[in-house]
Structure formats: structure tokens, C-alpha cells
Amino acid sequence: TAVPQKVANSPADKNKNKGGRGQKKQVFEPYMTTEDVSHGLKRGELIQGQIRINPKKYHEAFIPSPDDTRDIFLDGIIARNRALNGDVVVVQILPQEQWKVVRSDTDCEGASESETQKEHVMQRAQKKTERAPSPDVIVEDQCSDQEELISKVKNITLMDTVICILLCLILKIERFQIHHFTSLIVYQVVYIVEKKHSRAATGFLKFLLDKPFAMFSPVDHRVPRINVPLRDCPEDFRSRSGDYANTLFICRITNWAADSNFAEGQLAKTLGQAGEIEPETEGILTEYDVDFSDFSNEVLDCLPKNLPWTIPPEEMRKRRDLRSECIFTIDPATARDLDDALSCKQLPDGNFEVGVHIADVSYFVEQDNALDAVASQRATSVYMVQKVIPMLPRLLCEELCSLNPLTDRLTFSVIWKITPEGKILSEWFGRTVIRSCVKLSYDHAQSMIEAPEKLFSAEELPPVDPVHPIDEIHQAVLNLHSIAKNLRGQRFSGGALRLDQIKLSFTLDKETMMPQGCYVYQYRDSNKLVEEFMLLANIATASHIYRKFPELALLRRHPPPKTKMVDELQELCDQLGIDIDLSSAGALHKSLNTSLGDDEYTSARKEVLTHMCSRPMQMALYFCAGALKQEQFFKHYALNVPLYTHFTSPIRRYADIIVHRLLASSLRLSTDEVQKRASHCNDKKTVSKRVQELSSELFFGVFVKECGPLDSEAMVMGVLDQSFDVLVLRYGVQKRIYCKSIAGLDTFHHRKVGKKSELTLLWTPEDLERTPVEQVISIFTLVEVQLKADGAPMKYSALLKRPEDGMS
């Protein structure tokens, strides 16, 4: 691999004489100057990207390569140089003598957060020469104590191959395998461009004898331990530190010196007892910098004061009046912010007039006022298990903009003339006024779809506008369902992809908000109906705003998956005998929906395979068309469309408000400003997704503690050398099982052939006169597990249950 010339005044040069007598030894390299970084980036000697740290193995970190097809690997905390997860950093290749060697069948640059197989294949290069390291060898054997001896023989170069073979003979190893090793370029952070991590963490305080500070240990191991001045701690902490052993605190990092392994910080808040839902939830929100404060009076003053609010006559005159049309909402039963509605009217020629009507939030959120400022900063509503952190004040979300039934509301509408087969004949965009005739839940709509001939009574539905009989609404739902099925069929036959993963939902006690039960959320025809027309509206809007505003259009692209990871996955699937085509989104969708068997575990195998296929996928991103320019990068990979945007949820997404302003030709921003807003929306969307996942994990942890232990079948999703991951079928959660922690296990052995990993577990027989029970663990293996609460708050483990004798 070609190595760029070392940047002048690199950290290695600057730090060469540091750490002498009388000086504190440097732990981290000093950062480059802004000028050096700028020159290095221009010359291609440095690489910029957003760092992500493996949550399960915090010493591993990655940034995307410049072509975004693979990942660049950062090995260890020192290489990260005080950068935290999410920060935008600049990295430099270290001098060649500090490179490592890596087995050729594992390329760390293609790694992802979920890949940990490379853990034991990286060895430090012993020869610090100027030439590239020679290929190395490693020895494998079935006997664990022989493996232990072999593992001590490290840093073996090609010149030592003969010695290695002799060692095999001495140990009477009957089988050995030579793997070629290649050089692994080692990178290091030399500059932090933007500190996107909040520098806040939840964790616990530990008293240190004879120290003027306490040690703060974050729950998230990706954040360093923090020295906190004792004056910051509770008054009685020094004398009664044991009382705080289970107290959760929030700490903010204020400094991290180059000569210290530990950061410095200040306690921000005492949250309460670890393991309780509200303190844990507040910790998650603070750590991820989610603003959950009350809206200020200045913000609330931007909204109308005279309530109930009515549409001014001058505004009515500017809009198309659709209040007499049969328009209705379909949402979750608990939804209070209804921002989309549908209509479907059959025309005399047999075609349909279909409308998507979206709350006109931009009418109330004027650009550059206090309300706009806080909405743009929050960028998205954050949905947790027990609460929503709204982007906009409740008055606007649930009243002024919510398309509540039997109420006049301002909307932006897309109306198509469409054939029963789903062919679009014409399209209209404009500002409108609607009056929803009923608020249907997904359950109501599903009942209508499943009973097309049924005459629904008034008691079976929410209040309905008497102007529109129930059977008219029922027929409109049936027509929408029929058209949606055709649209969906066309999308997938045209090359779209959907990777459905299990989503866990909870039933909560209304008073305590504690989880009473959990279930896997069912995605049904009523959900598909709404999704299909929202997608159609977003695609139509993207084309419309790009035609009108090619420099300002805020669009949403989905880059293709990382090439290296796709190639490795294809190789693994081929080896497993799975007929899967990863060449395009459409080919993958078709592969996943062909038969994976005809037994009761077919859906589980599909879920495991879907998870495997999701690993190489990249996040969809907002961008400004004028900033990206090359249209070939605009494409949305999964939807397989050239242009896409978000238009249908302005109550909960700020990106949609920008799109609404473009539609209204009232956006007063430059290309750079739109791109900056797009980037911020990307960051907040990523945070929102992670917070939602953590909330679900938190509630499931409480559920296991309150209702466990819980038994379930599980299917193996991935195999490492000392552990394996399972999908717990009953609950849809994923857990890692460590072989060394399995009670009753005599020994285990790992073998890898090509890309396929396999663990052989030998269980101590219950009858000592019998031979050990052998259990082979590989992808798709079915096992029995028990979910059981750990000693740590909110944590639980999956315990592997002993197989029946003779099972393998």
C-alpha cells in the first residue's frame, strides 16, 4: 500500500522530546494546528470523518473511508486521541514501523460495530523495518491447552515458519493451517473538527482515599473515567460514600489533558437510584443532548393567543377548500399529533382522485422567530416507550396543527388522478383547508380491510361526521388498500428493498408507567396502506421541489451498502448454501422473500438473515441538492428512486418544515445554510433513533427483572471465537452468550472454515459415567435460553440451557 509522505510538524515529530526528566509523560499526542490540518487534507495526506466507537468493545473505533465503501480502523484509546463517539475528526496514517499485521481473511478496514471477529487476529509487527511487513503465519489446533501454548508464540514472521512447523511437530499437532498475514495500516486522530458528543455521561461516583477528587465511572464504557473535584460531590460524600454506591449522577467533561488517562469534569445533577425508569430516562436524554426542557414564554408567544383558534377569512381565500371531501386520518390509537390525512374518491371514468393532506406547520412556525429557532435546534420529536419529547409545543402539536376530526385545519395537499392499478395520470400540489370526518386507528382500518362486506355500526368506530356515512369511509379505505397493494407490488418489482426487523412494544401500567407485558409489534395491511401513500407523496414532492429549486431542494439520499462488507457477506452466504443475491436492492429483496424453508422457524431464519444483511447498510441522509451537485449520488438505494425527501411529518421533523417552505416558495436560506440544517437534522435523527432503542432496552430490562426469568427458544445470529449472538424468538431481542460464563460447560472449541465460524460446546454429563454432550453452534442453530436479571441495574443476561442428551 502506498504511504503518503509524513505531514510536516506531525504529532510524532512534535512529541519526540516530550516526557523527559521533570516533565509529565504525554499519554496522547498534541493536536495538529488548523493550518497543518487544512494543508494535509488538501494534499490527501489526512482523512476527515465521523468517528464511531464499538459499544461492545470500546477500544475499537472506525471512521468511513473517503469513498464511503469501507471503514478505517482506529486501534485503541490512544489512537482516538480524546475524541468521543460521534465527533468529526481528522486522522493520519502512523509511521510504517507502527503498522500492524493482520490475517488476510480478516480486513479490519471493512469492519463494522457489530463485527468483533478480528479481535484475536491482529498482532503487533515485531520487525520495525522500513520495508512492508512480510506475510506471517498462525497455527490452529483443536486442543485448548495446546492452543494456549501456541498463542504465546506471537509476532511470527515468514522467516520463523520453519520454527513454527517444528513446534507443531513437538506438540504432536496433527492439523495446522497457515494463514497469510498482510500489513494493517494504523491511523490516529490528529485533530477534532467538531465535538458532536455532548461530553455528558451518566454513571457512578467512587471515593478515592487521600485524593482531592472522586472517580466518576460512566455507564457507557466509550466515555473515559472522569476526575471530579470533591467540592462538586454531595456534602456527605466523603464521610458516607457507601450511601451513594447505587446513585446515578450526570457528569460533564470539562477538560481532558494530553498527559492524563482520565478526563476532568463537573457533576451536573444527581438523578436518583440506578435501575428506576425516570432517573435512567433522564440520564439517556441528557447524555444524548436531547432538549426536554419546557418551552419558554418567548417561544409560546409565537403562537395564537385567542383560543379556540379559527382560520382567518383572508387565509381561507388563498386556499383550495376541501372541507366537504371525505378525508380521514389513520394513526396509532394513542396518537395525539395527527399530521397526515388521506382521501380517495372514485371518478365517473373508473379512476380515483387520491389525496395526501399534511398539516401546514409552516403557517404557524415562521422562519427565524423564537419558535423556529427551538424547533430547528431540536430538529425532531423523540419517541420513548413512556413519553414523547416534542419538537414543537403541545398547543401546536395537539391542537393548532393536529388534523383532529370535525375541525377545520390548514394543510398542504398532494392530489393525484390515479388508475385502479396505481398508474398516476395527473398531480396537483397546493395549500388547502380540510375537515377530517373521523380519526381511525390502525385497528379500525385493519378491521375494515379484513371485513370488506361488513356494515360497521357507529358504536364500532370513533365519532364520525354525519355528512359522510360510515360505508363511504369504509369504501374509501378499501379503495386505498387496493391501490396501495398495486403501488407496493410495482415498487418491489421495480427494485425496491425493505428490511423488516422485529420491533418490541410494551403494555404499561397507566399509573406507574411500569411495563406489565411486552409483545412484538405487528406490521399489517393498514400500516402498509398509510406507508405507501406517504412514500408516494414524498417521492412526488422531491421531484417537484428539485425542479423548482435545484440549488435549494432539501432531499434525502440513501447511499448503497459498503462494498467490502457486501462482498464478505456474499461469500459467507455462498458458503452456508444460502441462495442470496446482494447485487442490488431489488435482488436482495427478492432473495429475502424466497423460501428459506417450510417449517415453523422459516420466519426466524429470515429475521436472522435480514439482520446479517442490514450490517453493511448505510444510514439515509438529508442533503441540499445544490451542495452535493452530482445527481448520481442523490439516489435512495432502498427505495430505488432517483429523488426522495420528507414532506409528510412536519409536526415531528424539522426537515419537513423546510420542504413545506420550499413548496410555499417562502424559504429564505442559501445553499450552504440548507446543507447546514440538513446535517443537523441528520445528527438529531441518529440521536433520536439511538435514544428510542435505549428506552426500549431500559423497559425490557425492567420487564425481565420484574417478570423473569423468561424462557425462550433462540436462533444463533453470529459466531465469534469465544461467544455467539442469538435472536430470542419470543421477544425479538438480541443477546450475546459468552462461552466462559456457561454453567455446566466442560470445554469449547472454535473453528473457522472460510467465512463460516463454528463453536463446539462440550457439556459435562449429568451422569459422570457417560460421555460429554456435544453441541455445535453455528448460524441458524436453535438453542434454548433463559433471560435473567443481572446484579447491575437494568441489565440482564441470556443463559444457555443445557441441551438434552444426544442433541447436537
Side-chain angles (χ1 to χ4, degrees):
T1 307
V3 187
Q5 295 297 310
K6 195 190 295 184
V7 177
N9 301 319
S10 74
D13 292 332
K14 292 178 182 177
N15 200 34
K16 201 171 280 184
N17 300 316
K18 297 268 182 179
R21 183 177 294 180
Q23 294 182 355
K24 269 187 117 175
K25 188 176 179 182
Q26 293 286 97
V27 177
F28 300 100
E29 300 285 359
Y31 296 128
M32 280 186 173
T33 65
T34 307
E35 187 180 1
D36 285 344
V37 168
S38 179
H39 291 323
L41 288 170
K42 285 176 183 174
R43 291 196 294 260
E45 296 164 347
L46 303 177
I47 298 169
Q48 181 172 315
Q50 190 166 17
I51 192 169
R52 69 179 195 276
I53 303 170
N54 189 334
K56 292 181 179 176
K57 295 178 65 182
Y58 63 87
H59 59 275
E60 295 182 350
F62 311 91
I63 69 164
S65 62
D67 63 3
D68 218 21
T69 58
R70 59 175 63 196
D71 286 327
I72 289 169
F73 179 58
L74 299 170
D75 182 26
I77 295 170
I78 301 301
R80 293 207 295 270
N81 201 357
R82 294 163 284 167
L84 298 186
N85 192 58
D87 289 352
V88 178
V89 299
V90 173
V91 299
Q92 172 190 325
I93 298 175
L94 286 178
Q96 194 167 342
E97 64 267 17
Q98 294 182 44
W99 290 8
K100 299 190 175 185
V101 287
V102 58
R103 198 166 68 191
S104 61
D105 61 359
T106 304
D107 183 351
C108 289
E109 290 193 29
S112 73
E113 290 185 4
S114 57
E115 286 184 294
T116 56
Q117 292 94 325
K118 64 201 166 305
E119 179 178 8
H120 297 287
V121 300
M122 292 187 300
Q123 309 284 346
R124 274 206 182 272
Q126 187 180 29
K127 303 274 187 180
K128 292 188 176 180
T129 62
E130 289 304 312
R131 61 184 174 80
S134 302
D136 286 8
V137 299
I138 193 168
V139 177
E140 289 186 353
D141 182 71
Q142 292 184 352
C143 180
S144 60
D145 55 348
Q146 288 177 351
E147 282 183 334
E148 190 176 341
L149 286 169
I150 294 296
S151 69
K152 294 176 182 175
V153 185
K154 294 185 177 180
N155 308 317
I156 306 171
T157 65
L158 187 60
M159 295 169 63
D160 299 319
T161 303
V162 175
I163 298 171
C164 191
I165 295 171
L166 286 172
L167 182 61
C168 293
L169 294 172
I170 293 166
L171 294 170
K172 298 180 181 178
I173 297 174
E174 296 175 357
R175 179 182 61 84
F176 69 93
Q177 185 174 351
I178 294 177
H179 295 280
H180 289 288
F181 272 65
T182 55
S183 58
L184 170 68
I185 302 172
V186 178
Y187 295 82
Q188 177 174 275
V189 171
V190 294
Y191 191 75
I192 299 177
V193 178
E194 186 178 357
K195 292 181 177 178
K196 291 204 172 186
H197 189 282
S198 67
R199 267 53 187 176
T202 58
F204 301 92
L205 274 181
K206 182 180 179 182
F207 181 72
L208 302 175
L209 198 62
D210 300 327
K211 297 284 185 184
F213 52 81
M215 177 64 73
F216 179 85
S217 298
V219 173
D220 185 347
H221 298 300
R222 296 173 295 179
V223 181
R225 285 177 290 176
I226 305 167
N227 291 334
V228 177
L230 280 175
R231 64 178 181 272
D232 247 26
C233 301
E235 287 184 15
D236 58 349
F237 178 72
R238 192 192 296 264
S239 58
R240 303 177 63 90
S241 58
D243 293 355
Y244 294 92
N246 200 40
T247 302
L248 205 58
F249 293 90
I250 292 175
C251 184
R252 292 189 184 276
I253 293 174
T254 54
N255 185 43
W256 192 355
D259 59 6
S260 176
N261 284 307
F262 308 116
E264 300 164 31
Q266 293 181 330
L267 288 186
K269 191 172 184 181
T270 304
L271 291 173
Q273 289 299 103
E276 293 180 1
I277 284 174
E278 284 311 310
E280 296 276 0
T281 296
E282 186 175 341
I284 292 168
L285 293 171
T286 305
E287 200 165 323
Y288 283 86
D289 201 21
V290 175
D291 182 359
F292 57 98
S293 62
D294 293 335
F295 291 97
S296 68
N297 288 332
E298 184 187 8
V299 167
L300 296 176
D301 285 345
C302 297
L303 297 174
K305 293 288 187 294
N306 298 324
L307 302 173
W309 179 80
T310 55
I311 300 170
E314 61 272 19
E315 187 62 33
M316 288 289 291
R317 288 192 291 271
K318 297 176 186 176
R319 294 173 178 259
R320 182 170 168 179
D321 191 345
L322 301 176
R323 287 177 295 173
S324 62
E325 301 290 331
C326 178
I327 297 174
F328 47 88
T329 58
I330 304 175
D331 286 281
T334 55
R336 293 188 293 187
D337 50 348
L338 315 178
D339 53 10
D340 58 82
L342 293 164
S343 61
C344 184
K345 180 170 66 176
Q346 188 153 20
L347 301 172
D349 61 3
N351 295 315
F352 293 92
E353 185 180 86
V354 173
V356 169
H357 314 276
I358 306 300
D360 188 359
V361 177
S362 61
Y363 174 85
F364 295 96
V365 183
E366 295 178 17
Q367 192 170 331
D368 298 328
N369 68 8
L371 176 57
D372 186 45
V374 74
S376 67
Q377 186 57 39
R378 293 191 179 202
T380 181
S381 294
V382 179
Y383 291 82
M384 308 185 83
V385 171
Q386 83 282 29
K387 65 171 76 176
V388 178
I389 311 300
M391 180 180 78
L392 295 165
R394 179 171 288 186
L395 171 62
L396 196 148
C397 293
E398 298 176 13
E399 292 296 329
L400 299 172
C401 285
S402 188
L403 307 181
N404 298 327
L406 312 179
T407 313
D408 294 353
R409 286 289 177 255
L410 301 177
T411 45
F412 248 116
S413 298
V414 190
I415 299 173
W416 301 275
K417 183 178 180 182
I418 194 166
T419 69
E421 295 75 33
K423 182 182 179 183
I424 296 170
L425 303 175
S426 64
E427 180 178 87
W428 179 87
F429 284 89
R431 278 182 144 158
T432 52
V433 181
I434 70 163
R435 181 182 173 90
S436 171
C437 58
V438 65
K439 175 191 173 183
L440 297 177
S441 69
Y442 283 117
D443 288 337
H444 294 135
Q446 189 65 30
S447 299
M448 290 178 168
I449 291 167
E450 291 174 358
E453 304 299 328
K454 180 178 176 180
L455 295 174
F456 284 83
S457 65
E459 291 74 27
E460 294 175 273
L461 297 173
V464 177
D465 188 338
V467 175
H468 299 286
I470 292 172
D471 61 338
E472 181 186 1
I473 297 164
H474 187 185
Q475 190 57 52
V477 170
L478 292 174
N479 291 336
L480 286 170
H481 170 60
S482 176
I483 298 167
K485 281 201 301 184
N486 290 328
L487 289 169
R488 189 177 179 85
Q490 290 167 26
R491 275 202 310 114
F492 289 121
S493 63
L497 164 69
R498 185 182 176 92
L499 291 176
D500 280 317
Q501 296 201 45
I502 290 174
K503 179 184 174 186
L504 199 61
S505 294
F506 297 87
T507 52
L508 305 179
D509 183 285
K510 288 183 179 179
E511 291 184 6
T512 65
M513 300 306 283
M514 291 286 281
Q516 293 179 313
C518 64
Y519 58 94
V520 174
Y521 184 79
Q522 295 297 311
Y523 186 72
R524 299 175 296 172
D525 285 338
S526 55
N527 302 84
K528 294 174 185 177
L529 181 162
V530 174
E531 179 191 50
E532 211 54 51
F533 288 105
M534 296 306 119
L535 287 173
L536 191 65
N538 287 335
I539 293 166
T541 304
S543 297
H544 186 78
I545 61 172
Y546 184 55
R547 279 196 309 270
K548 286 183 69 177
F549 307 101
E551 291 298 310
L552 289 178
L554 187 144
L555 302 172
R556 187 164 174 80
R557 66 190 181 95
H558 184 208
K562 294 183 183 292
T563 308
K564 177 74 174 174
M565 294 176 70
V566 168
D567 292 343
E568 290 178 348
L569 178 60
Q570 184 73 68
E571 191 180 335
L572 173 61
C573 289
D574 291 344
Q575 195 177 344
L576 291 170
I578 300 169
D579 185 15
I580 193 163
D581 185 350
L582 293 156
S583 62
S584 68
L588 175 54
H589 183 85
K590 188 176 179 182
S591 299
L592 287 172
N593 287 277
T594 53
S595 177
L596 291 167
D598 54 4
D599 59 20
E600 59 182 307
Y601 298 108
T602 296
S603 60
R605 277 191 289 272
K606 182 181 176 182
E607 178 64 29
V608 168
L609 193 56
T610 298
H611 177 81
M612 292 163 63
C613 292
S614 70
R615 288 176 184 170
M617 297 299 164
Q618 302 199 65
M619 295 278 286
L621 299 166
Y622 297 113
F623 70 100
C624 179
L628 192 57
K629 297 193 182 299
Q630 299 101 321
E631 286 193 22
Q632 67 266 31
F633 297 125
F634 289 14
K635 185 177 177 181
H636 196 290
Y637 170 81
L639 293 173
N640 194 33
V641 292
L643 297 170
Y644 188 68
T645 194
H646 274 163
F647 155 72
T648 55
S649 291
I651 286 178
R652 62 182 180 90
R653 292 189 305 228
Y654 191 77
D656 302 53
I657 293 178
I658 295 177
V659 170
H660 279 230
R661 288 173 180 162
L662 283 166
L663 286 170
S665 302
S666 62
L667 185 70
R668 301 183 301 277
L669 291 175
S670 68
T671 297
D672 287 346
E673 288 168 324
V674 173
Q675 181 58 38
K676 189 175 179 181
R677 298 281 177 94
S679 297
H680 183 67
C681 288
N682 288 331
D683 293 339
K684 288 298 186 180
K685 187 170 180 63
T686 301
V687 162
S688 174
K689 184 173 183 288
R690 183 61 187 141
V691 166
Q692 191 172 353
E693 291 166 352
L694 289 171
S695 178
S696 185
E697 289 173 18
L698 169 64
F699 271 78
F700 191 69
V702 171
F703 179 68
V704 174
K705 181 181 177 182
E706 297 294 321
C707 305
L710 308 172
D711 294 331
S712 174
E713 282 186 302
M715 185 171 278
V716 176
M717 306 178 70
V719 179
L720 310 180
D721 56 352
Q722 298 186 53
S723 61
F724 56 97
D725 295 328
V726 297
L727 173 69
V728 183
L729 301 183
R730 186 176 170 190
Y731 302 103
V733 296
Q734 301 162 21
K735 289 299 286 184
R736 178 160 292 176
I737 297 174
Y738 296 90
C739 295
K740 290 179 179 177
S741 302
I742 300 173
L745 200 64
D746 185 48
T747 187
F748 65 92
H749 172 68
H750 172 259
R751 66 189 287 263
K752 187 170 183 180
V753 180
K755 292 292 177 185
K756 183 182 177 183
S757 272
E758 190 175 272
L759 280 166
T760 301
L761 312 182
L762 291 174
W763 292 82
T764 306
E766 293 176 336
D767 181 352
L768 296 178
E769 293 183 4
R770 301 186 65 177
T771 57
V773 177
E774 183 179 288
Q775 185 178 21
V776 178
I777 301 293
S778 59
I779 290 179
F780 301 131
T781 298
L782 277 170
V783 295
E784 294 282 340
V785 299
Q786 183 178 83
L787 303 182
K788 192 173 183 180
D790 286 349
M794 323 307 291
K795 302 295 182 185
Y796 67 95
S797 299
L799 309 177
L800 183 66
K801 297 174 79 172
R802 174 189 286 273
E804 296 176 10
D805 286 3
M807 179 181 173
S808 62

